[in-house]
Amino acid sequence: MMTENGYSVPDYSGAITPEFKSRVLTAYRDYKADKESLKNSVIENYKWYARQHGMRFSAEKNKPISTTEYIFNAVENKYTDALDNYPEVCVLEREATDADAAEALSKILPVQLEFSNFKKAYKENWRRKMKGGTGIYFVDYDSDSEEIVIKSVNLLAFFSDFNVSNIQESSFVFVTRAEDNEELKLRYPEYSACFEGDCNIETVEGIKKLSDRTEIVDCYYKKAIVDDEGRIKNVVHMMKLAGEVIIDATEDIPGYDMGLYNHGKYPFVLDIMYPIEDCPFGFGLIDVVKGIQEYIDKIDECVEKNTILASKARYVVKENAGINTEDLADFSKEIITASGGKLEEVIRELQLKGLPAYITNYRDRKIEELKEIIGNRDFQHGGNAGGVTSGSAIELLQRSGEKMSRATVDDSYDAYREICIMVIDLMRQFFHEERIYRITGDSGEKEFISITGDDLMAKDALGFPDDSKPTCFDVSITAQKSNPYTKQGNNQTMTQLWELGVFAPQNLESSIILIKNMQFDGKEKLIQDMQTKLEEFKQQQMQMQQQMMQQQMMQQPVQPPIQPPQPIQPQGEETVAIPIG
């Protein structure tokens, strides 16, 4: 077989048929064409985001125009909202017999996600989806490191069916990346001729040419098979393409009869900012506000130009006035000579009329409109015009202004839930040996928990893992509040409850009823601690009562033994002794 650059490579003789390969290449070209408009929008949005840092150039004149940074501020403010509401996972059992496994997973999953670098991908995807509308997570098991990995995927390098709302419904998913030529030659020596050409990679800053790399296309696809129980199911396979040459395919590797993953899903989770109808991708925050930002920049340009002109002194000089105009324009000369006539009659300063007030008022209204649309109010980033100093009051103001943020954060929790389910499935499939995790207990002490894939399988009648029946769990997501005002508000709430005597031991029984009807973070843990203290208090009370009863018994005087009653003789009668015998 001849490659595009004229080199000969071995003919492919694996499980991929020429007809299917042709279908794959056609889908790749179609997906790229469908995504062209979205790609251009992503690149343009990035320029809007990046150019707000300083100067951008006018298309009409080759000179810089100053711009305001409202878009950059809006993106970063939403980004901090996402960090303040970093997700926490809680795994719940569906059957009573799985309660121990669910409790262990609730403690293990946060540690496993930390090992998988989820937080890094979380940060990258939040910025990417605000600029491009979509953040993409890649959830995979790395056989080399024997670890689950979670990465952020560049939207420009990701292609799928543009006409389905769920990525799992796409016939194919393509991911492109540039790989080092020498490394590829070591891994696939028989295809070394494919790794000689230059690689052109499309980025938000333009096309980059890399002379030492080759563009590799990973194609993921689903294939229907019949399992051991006679059921039809879809499994995920993957092939690697260098140009139009198949250099690797999982269908040709022993052990992949059931595909890459037992869960049968593409290893990608899409986190959408604002959804587009019947499309797996979305649009970003910059798409919403860049029109208003452009109006503000135009008004700023007018104001700036007027300010510069007004600050420059200009004069009207009468012809033949006897004044050297060159000396007049040269501000380095302290003395200018003039001859003939009164000076005020031959020279006059030209005053530039200032801009009308309605122009600056219109600019202010546009700025307020932009803030209102994106929900970026002053008090959300530290501004405090009302003189509010209480932590709980500031928190209430911030939360009231976070309505839009709460909606987008809640949408991201849906993606996080799907990621957690995928991670559990990968742990079930690939954790053949015991894994030990170090966690922090409720009281701050170190704990060690172990888990294997068999622990996540259902058990048969004899208590052995049943490989055909994975255990099902419910995954609940909550926000890990890290906002300093939120922490201060919670601290103030606890202090006020303490001052009211809510935590006094004698009041705990009624206080628990009060706490159950309140709403604040950490309520469940507080109720649990109060119930524990209440039981300890009741036991102490019982012990004190028993000790008091024992002391009372020991202090009572010793009573003399009770004598039996003597018979009473009748009065007036004498006792007569009768002799016997």
Side-chain angles (χ1 to χ4, degrees):
M1 174 180 180
M2 300 298 294
T3 64
E4 295 177 355
N5 54 13
Y7 293 98
S8 177
V9 295
D11 292 333
Y12 175 77
S13 59
I16 309 299
T17 64
E19 293 78 14
F20 187 76
K21 174 185 172 183
S22 176
R23 183 184 165 197
V24 167
L25 295 175
T26 301
Y28 180 53
R29 288 190 290 266
D30 292 343
Y31 291 176
K32 289 188 71 173
D34 291 341
K35 194 185 166 189
E36 188 68 21
S37 60
L38 177 61
K39 180 198 73 173
N40 295 333
S41 176
V42 170
I43 295 174
E44 180 65 23
N45 287 350
Y46 175 81
K47 291 178 180 178
W48 270 93
Y49 170 78
R51 289 179 178 179
Q52 303 312 304
H53 294 280
M55 310 291 287
R56 65 185 176 91
F57 286 87
S58 170
E60 295 81 12
K61 299 178 181 179
N62 189 22
K63 66 176 184 179
I65 300 174
S66 63
T67 59
T68 52
E69 300 179 358
Y70 292 109
I71 284 182
F72 174 79
N73 180 268
V75 170
E76 292 305 303
N77 187 69
K78 297 295 182 184
Y79 175 72
T80 55
D81 286 344
L83 296 184
D84 288 343
N85 293 276
Y86 187 78
E88 278 190 343
V89 61
C90 178
V91 181
L92 305 174
E93 69 279 3
R94 290 188 181 180
E95 298 181 7
T97 54
D98 302 326
D100 292 340
E103 183 180 359
L105 276 176
S106 296
K107 298 177 180 180
I108 288 173
L109 264 184
V111 182
Q112 179 59 57
L113 291 171
E114 183 179 351
F115 290 162
S116 303
N117 287 326
F118 168 76
K119 193 166 188 177
K120 179 182 178 182
Y122 178 81
K123 293 178 178 179
E124 291 178 359
N125 276 339
W126 258 96
R127 279 200 170 101
R128 280 178 167 172
K129 76 175 188 175
M130 283 187 286
K131 291 180 285 188
T134 307
I136 304 173
Y137 293 94
F138 174 59
V139 186
D140 187 32
Y141 179 79
D142 184 5
S143 57
D144 295 333
S145 63
E146 297 184 346
E147 273 296 344
I148 298 171
V149 294
I150 301 176
K151 298 179 180 179
S152 174
V153 180
N154 189 347
L155 181 58
L156 296 180
F158 185 88
F159 305 92
S160 68
D161 192 342
F162 212 82
N163 301 308
V164 295
S165 58
N166 188 350
I167 187 67
Q168 300 299 332
E169 298 175 3
S170 180
S171 300
F172 305 95
V173 173
F174 300 94
V175 179
T176 63
R177 63 174 176 269
E179 296 192 19
D180 184 81
N181 289 335
E182 298 304 320
E183 183 178 347
L184 288 171
K185 290 177 182 179
L186 290 175
R187 288 161 52 192
Y188 308 104
E190 65 274 20
Y191 296 102
S192 296
C194 298
F195 313 133
E196 298 292 342
D198 295 335
C199 175
N200 294 325
I201 295 297
E202 197 164 30
T203 68
V204 291
E205 297 177 348
I207 296 177
K208 292 184 178 180
K209 187 174 182 179
L210 306 175
S211 59
D212 60 340
R213 301 187 186 185
T214 298
E215 184 181 44
I216 300 298
V217 180
D218 291 345
C219 171
Y220 295 84
Y221 59 94
K222 292 186 177 182
K223 183 178 180 180
I225 65 169
V226 179
D227 62 11
D228 297 336
E229 298 182 1
R231 297 174 301 184
I232 298 176
K233 61 179 295 187
N234 287 324
V235 297
V236 174
H237 281 286
M238 189 264 284
M239 71 174 76
K240 286 181 175 290
L241 297 167
E244 296 186 357
V245 179
I246 300 175
I247 62 174
D248 202 358
T250 55
E251 288 196 65
D252 301 330
I253 302 175
Y256 285 94
D257 297 336
M258 300 302 294
L260 280 170
Y261 315 103
N262 290 344
H263 56 59
K265 301 176 184 177
Y266 292 128
F268 302 98
V269 178
L270 271 59
D271 188 4
I272 309 299
M273 188 70 183
Y274 303 116
I276 300 174
E277 194 73 20
D278 297 327
C279 178
F281 307 105
F283 61 94
L285 181 66
I286 296 179
D287 291 304
V288 177
V289 300
K290 65 183 179 183
I292 302 176
Q293 177 71 66
E294 187 173 7
Y295 273 108
I296 296 173
D297 290 344
K298 287 181 179 179
I299 298 174
D300 282 345
E301 183 180 354
C302 295
V303 173
E304 181 180 344
K305 185 176 181 180
N306 183 269
T307 303
I308 293 174
L309 292 177
S311 63
K312 185 177 181 180
R314 302 180 67 195
Y315 299 93
V316 177
V317 181
K318 191 175 182 180
E319 192 174 359
N320 301 323
I323 298 177
N324 190 333
T325 56
E326 293 182 359
D327 292 345
L328 184 65
D330 188 357
F331 284 87
S332 64
K333 294 188 176 182
E334 299 180 357
I335 299 175
I336 301 174
T337 59
S339 61
K342 295 182 179 180
L343 189 61
E344 61 270 12
E345 292 180 356
V346 296
I347 184 172
R348 184 173 59 186
E349 184 179 1
L350 182 62
Q351 295 289 338
L352 182 66
K353 187 177 181 181
L355 291 175
Y358 72 84
I359 293 180
T360 55
N361 292 337
Y362 181 74
R363 176 185 180 275
D364 293 339
R365 289 199 300 269
K366 278 294 180 183
I367 293 174
E368 291 300 318
E369 179 184 355
L370 187 145
K371 290 181 178 180
E372 193 67 30
I373 289 176
I374 61 180
N376 192 16
R377 310 306 303 174
D378 293 338
F379 50 77
Q380 288 180 275
H381 48 80
N384 184 14
V388 180
T389 57
S390 170
S392 58
I394 293 175
E395 182 187 358
L396 288 174
L397 285 173
Q398 288 184 330
R399 289 191 175 185
S400 65
E402 290 177 355
K403 292 182 179 179
M404 296 179 65
S405 294
R406 284 197 295 269
T408 53
V409 167
D410 187 69
D411 290 342
S412 72
Y413 287 174
D414 295 337
Y416 181 72
R417 183 181 296 106
E418 192 171 347
I419 292 170
C420 291
I421 293 173
M422 277 191 177
V423 170
I424 294 173
D425 289 333
L426 293 177
M427 293 170 67
R428 183 186 291 117
Q429 179 179 355
F430 295 105
F431 284 12
H432 304 299
E433 298 180 356
E434 185 180 56
R435 300 289 182 104
I436 300 177
Y437 296 85
R438 185 189 70 239
I439 65 171
T440 303
D442 295 335
S443 301
E445 74 281 3
K446 292 181 181 179
E447 294 182 11
F448 294 90
I449 300 180
S450 63
I451 195 170
T452 65
D454 291 340
D455 295 332
L456 306 178
M457 302 297 296
K459 304 298 187 294
D460 57 19
L462 300 177
F464 294 101
D466 187 352
D467 295 338
S468 63
K469 294 177 63 178
T471 304
C472 295
F473 299 99
D474 292 325
V475 177
S476 176
I477 308 299
T478 57
Q480 175 185 321
K481 291 289 186 180
S482 58
N483 188 318
Y485 289 117
T486 301
K487 295 179 180 179
Q488 184 178 356
N490 288 340
N491 293 339
Q492 285 186 353
T493 301
M494 293 297 104
T495 302
Q496 292 171 358
L497 293 174
W498 179 274
E499 292 174 349
L500 293 172
V502 171
F503 301 123
Q506 64 273 16
N507 299 331
L508 286 175
E509 193 163 0
S510 57
S511 298
I512 291 175
I513 301 175
L514 170 67
I515 300 298
K516 284 182 177 179
N517 289 277
M518 295 179 67
Q519 297 293 331
F520 57 88
D521 295 328
K523 181 181 73 172
E524 293 77 11
K525 179 65 171 57
L526 178 61
I527 292 175
Q528 183 180 356
D529 292 342
M530 293 176 68
Q531 289 174 339
T532 302
K533 292 297 181 182
L534 179 60
E535 293 297 326
E536 294 177 356
F537 178 69
K538 288 182 177 180
Q539 292 178 3
Q540 292 175 358
Q541 292 293 102
M542 291 179 62
Q543 292 176 359
M544 291 177 62
Q545 290 178 0
Q546 291 176 359
Q547 292 176 359
M548 291 178 62
M549 292 178 61
Q550 291 176 0
Q551 291 177 359
Q552 289 177 359
M553 292 178 63
M554 293 176 63
Q555 293 176 359
Q556 288 179 356
V558 180
Q559 300 292 335
I562 301 176
Q563 299 293 330
Q566 298 295 327
I568 300 175
Q569 298 293 335
Q571 294 183 1
E573 295 185 1
E574 295 181 359
T575 302
V576 180
I578 302 175
I580 299 176

